[in-house]
Amino acid sequence: MKKLFTTCMPQTLSYLARTMLLIALLTAFQSCKEPDIINEPAVLKQDEKDTQLQTLSSFLAGVTGAPIDKVKYINEEKKFVIDGDMEISRTSAEEYLNAEKTGRVNQKRAVWLLSDNVAKDVKVYINPSITPEWKEAVREAIYEWNHMGDMKVNFREVLFDYNTDVVVTAKYEGPNPSSPQPWIARQNMPDIDGTTGGGMTINTYYNSSSLLSKSEKKFAMVHELGHVIGFAHTDKPTQGLIDFLVCDTPVWDANSVMNFVVGSWTMFSYYDHVAAMVLYPEHTWKNLPGQATDVAASTGTDIECCG
């Protein structure tokens, strides 16, 4: 908070003049005040004003495996924040809930995925306000995903915030009684129309290397780009509403980059590769060894994967 210094007033000033000067000083003092804490956007309690919030929150908790108290609704932005870093707009949450009521085509795929044309060219814009170390972390994360191999997803940094899929911005949020360990970054999950759903927000509280190392920053950015393409938290099992288990992957993968807790970056786990190839295969058809002479095609609607 800024301090305001004043000089002594001459004794000859009239009472009216002193009063007017006092009012002016108080006004200037108020206009120069800086907030000690940057407030979060207003979070609407789930039992106030909107009865559907409880339904949507419970639904999102079920499909992501997050505890109900980890599903927060930001009223000003009309979106939910799940487990501290996954974001989804209210509109998409309502559409997913309606889709759940009418049934799903495939029980064994992730709910949130990018459309084919978006996945092949995910444009990322890094706001100039992002610090150099975070910028480097984002760029290295883009490199790691693009060199995973055998999947169609491709991230591309762009220089202008125009027709962009992911806009990386910054916001400060320090510790508080309800959140002693603040979130590191947040990323929107894909919307129901197959688009990226919005941008990424980095918490500048962690700018210092003493709070988050360079390697941990890279891990966090690789993790958030995983959310861009619809990957949920590997170590948050679902509660049966929607099966997020990807074909040929285990229920638990201690080495996955999509685990909730940020660690030092080493590499993608084997099953991170498998999940990416299953959900976003680079090629529809692959040449495999064999002697088949009669091959038929199927719509796939009656085939169960991972059964």
Side-chain angles (χ1 to χ4, degrees), residues 122-177:
V122 183
K123 296 178 286 297
V124 180
Y125 173 75
I126 305 174
N127 190 280
S129 64
I130 304 300
T131 62
E133 195 168 77
W134 277 116
K135 286 180 181 178
E136 182 180 0
V138 175
R139 289 165 180 156
E140 289 182 357
I142 290 174
Y143 176 89
E144 296 294 344
W145 279 106
N146 287 349
H147 288 79
M148 176 178 278
D150 293 326
M151 75 161 182
K152 69 181 69 174
V153 175
N154 183 75
F155 292 96
R156 174 168 63 96
E157 183 183 354
V158 295
L159 300 179
F160 301 98
D161 182 10
Y162 172 74
N163 194 27
T164 306
D165 299 302
V166 179
V167 178
V168 184
T169 57
K171 173 186 176 181
Y172 176 83
E173 184 180 319
N176 60 68

Side-chain angles (χ1 to χ4, degrees), residues 13-256:
L13 284 176
S14 67
Y15 174 80
L16 178 60
R18 292 199 301 271
T19 302
M20 294 299 293
L21 181 58
L22 178 60
I23 293 173
L25 288 174
L26 289 174
T27 302
F29 177 77
Q30 290 297 328
S31 64
C32 292
K33 288 175 63 178
E34 291 180 345
D36 296 324
I37 299 175
I38 297 177
N39 293 325
E40 290 185 84
V43 176
L44 190 66
K45 292 183 179 180
Q46 296 171 2
D47 59 350
E48 291 182 0
K49 299 181 182 179
D50 194 336
T51 56
Q52 193 182 24
L53 279 180
Q54 180 64 45
T55 300
L56 291 171
S57 297
S58 298
F59 170 71
L60 292 174
V63 300
T64 59
I68 187 65
D69 62 345
K70 296 296 183 181
V71 179
K72 306 294 185 182
Y73 182 68
I74 301 177
N75 190 40
E76 292 178 358
E77 301 177 32
K78 305 299 182 187
K79 66 183 178 183
F80 292 89
V81 179
I82 307 162
D83 255 341
D85 75 326
M86 294 186 293
E87 297 181 344
I88 179 172
S89 68
R90 175 167 182 160
T91 300
S92 287
E94 291 171 344
E95 291 176 342
Y96 281 124
L97 179 60
N98 291 332
E100 167 72 13
K101 292 177 180 178
T102 57
R104 299 181 300 278
V105 175
N106 193 329
Q107 297 281 352
K108 300 297 181 180
R109 58 166 287 178
V111 174
W112 296 298
L113 290 179
L114 298 181
S115 63
D116 194 66
N117 63 312
V118 175
K120 290 180 178 179
D121 185 27
V122 183
K123 296 178 286 297
V124 180
Y125 173 75
I126 305 174
N127 190 280
S129 64
I130 304 300
T131 62
E133 195 168 77
W134 277 116
K135 286 180 181 178
E136 182 180 0
V138 175
R139 289 165 180 156
E140 289 182 357
I142 290 174
Y143 176 89
E144 296 294 344
W145 279 106
N146 287 349
H147 288 79
M148 176 178 278
D150 293 326
M151 75 161 182
K152 69 181 69 174
V153 175
N154 183 75
F155 292 96
R156 174 168 63 96
E157 183 183 354
V158 295
L159 300 179
F160 301 98
D161 182 10
Y162 172 74
N163 194 27
T164 306
D165 299 302
V166 179
V167 178
V168 184
T169 57
K171 173 186 176 181
Y172 176 83
E173 184 180 319
N176 60 68
S178 63
S179 180
Q181 187 174 357
W183 53 275
I184 296 172
R186 289 174 177 167
Q187 170 61 48
N188 280 288
M189 301 290 280
D191 277 338
I192 199 166
D193 61 359
T195 60
T196 55
M200 181 193 302
T201 307
I202 295 172
N203 189 353
T204 58
Y205 170 76
Y206 292 97
N207 282 358
S208 172
S209 296
S210 63
L211 293 176
L212 209 65
S213 69
K214 182 178 178 180
S215 178
E216 289 170 327
K217 286 182 171 71
K218 179 177 178 179
F219 183 105
M221 293 298 94
V222 175
H223 178 100
E224 297 305 324
L225 290 185
H227 287 325
V228 171
I229 62 177
F231 281 33
H233 291 149
T234 305
D235 53 350
K236 296 286 183 176
T238 62
Q239 299 174 4
L241 290 181
I242 293 181
D243 193 347
F244 272 88
L245 183 62
V246 180
C247 294
D248 300 321
T249 64
V251 175
W252 177 266
D253 180 5
N255 298 315
S256 174

